[in-house]
Coordinates of all heavy atoms in Angstrom, one line a residue:
N1 N 100.7 88.7 140.1 CA 99.8 89.6 140.7 C 98.8 90.0 139.7 O 99.1 90.6 138.6 CB 100.6 90.7 141.3 CG 99.7 91.7 142.0 OD1 98.7 92.2 141.6 ND2 100.2 92.2 143.2
F2 N 97.5 89.9 140.0 CA 96.5 90.2 139.0 C 96.5 91.6 138.6 O 96.4 92.0 137.4 CB 95.1 89.8 139.7 CG 93.9 90.3 138.8 CD1 93.6 89.6 137.7 CD2 93.2 91.4 139.2 CE1 92.5 90.0 136.9 CE2 92.1 91.8 138.5 CZ 91.7 91.1 137.3
I3 N 96.6 92.6 139.5 CA 96.5 94.0 139.2 C 97.7 94.4 138.4 O 97.6 95.1 137.5 CB 96.3 94.8 140.5 CG1 94.9 94.5 141.1 CG2 96.5 96.3 140.3 CD1 94.7 95.2 142.4
R4 N 98.9 93.9 138.7 CA 100.1 94.2 138.0 C 100.0 93.7 136.5 O 100.3 94.4 135.6 CB 101.3 93.6 138.7 CG 102.6 94.0 138.0 CD 103.9 93.3 138.6 NE 103.7 91.9 138.5 CZ 103.8 90.9 139.5 NH1 104.1 91.4 140.7 NH2 103.6 89.7 139.4
D5 N 99.4 92.5 136.3 CA 99.3 92.0 135.0 C 98.2 92.8 134.2 O 98.4 93.1 133.0 CB 98.7 90.6 135.0 CG 99.8 89.6 135.5 OD1 101.0 90.0 135.6 OD2 99.4 88.4 135.9
L6 N 97.2 93.3 134.9 CA 96.1 94.1 134.3 C 96.8 95.5 133.9 O 96.5 96.0 132.8 CB 95.0 94.3 135.2 CG 93.7 94.9 134.6 CD1 93.2 94.1 133.4 CD2 92.6 94.9 135.7
K7 N 97.6 96.0 134.8 CA 98.2 97.3 134.4 C 99.2 97.1 133.2 O 99.3 98.0 132.4 CB 99.0 97.8 135.6 CG 98.1 98.5 136.6 CD 98.9 99.2 137.7 CE 98.1 100.1 138.5 NZ 98.8 101.0 139.4
G8 N 99.8 95.9 133.2 CA 100.7 95.6 132.0 C 99.9 95.6 130.7 O 100.4 96.1 129.7
V9 N 98.7 95.1 130.8 CA 97.9 95.0 129.6 C 97.4 96.5 129.2 O 97.5 96.8 128.0 CB 96.5 94.2 129.8 CG1 95.6 94.4 128.6 CG2 96.9 92.7 129.9
I10 N 97.2 97.3 130.2 CA 96.8 98.7 129.9 C 98.0 99.4 129.3 O 97.8 100.1 128.4 CB 96.3 99.4 131.3 CG1 95.0 98.8 131.8 CG2 96.2 100.8 131.0 CD1 93.9 98.9 130.9
D11 N 99.1 99.2 129.8 CA 100.3 99.8 129.3 C 100.6 99.4 127.9 O 101.0 100.2 127.0 CB 101.6 99.6 130.2 CG 101.5 100.3 131.5 OD1 100.7 101.3 131.7 OD2 102.3 99.9 132.4
N12 N 100.4 98.2 127.6 CA 100.6 97.6 126.3 C 99.7 98.0 125.2 O 99.9 97.8 124.0 CB 100.7 96.1 126.3 CG 102.0 95.5 127.0 OD1 103.0 96.2 127.1 ND2 101.9 94.4 127.6
T13 N 98.5 98.5 125.6 CA 97.5 99.0 124.7 C 97.3 100.4 124.6 O 96.4 101.0 124.0 CB 96.1 98.4 125.1 OG1 95.8 98.8 126.4 CG2 96.1 96.8 125.1
Q14 N 98.4 101.1 125.0 CA 98.4 102.7 125.0 C 98.3 103.1 123.5 O 97.8 104.2 123.3 CB 99.6 103.2 125.7 CG 99.6 104.7 125.7 CD 100.7 105.2 126.6 OE1 101.4 104.5 127.3 NE2 100.8 106.5 126.5
R83 N 89.8 101.3 128.2 CA 91.2 101.3 128.7 C 91.4 102.4 129.7 O 92.0 102.3 130.7 CB 92.1 101.4 127.5 CG 93.5 101.4 127.9 CD 94.5 101.8 126.6 NE 95.8 102.0 127.1 CZ 96.2 103.1 127.7 NH1 95.3 104.1 127.8 NH2 97.4 103.2 128.0
N87 N 92.2 102.1 133.7 CA 93.4 102.8 134.1 C 93.0 103.6 135.3 O 93.7 103.8 136.4 CB 94.0 103.6 133.1 CG 95.4 103.9 133.4 OD1 96.1 103.1 134.1 ND2 95.9 105.0 132.9
L90 N 92.3 101.7 138.4 CA 93.5 101.1 139.0 C 94.5 102.0 139.5 O 95.7 101.8 139.5 CB 94.1 100.1 137.9 CG 93.3 98.9 137.6 CD1 94.1 98.1 136.5 CD2 93.0 98.1 138.7

Side-chain angles (χ1 to χ4, degrees):
N1 181 316
F2 172 75
I3 292 176
R4 185 183 58 234
D5 292 345
L6 195 53
K7 281 188 171 192
V9 171
I10 295 299
D11 291 343
N12 290 334
T13 58
Q14 184 171 352
R83 183 187 169 282
N87 200 32
L90 292 180

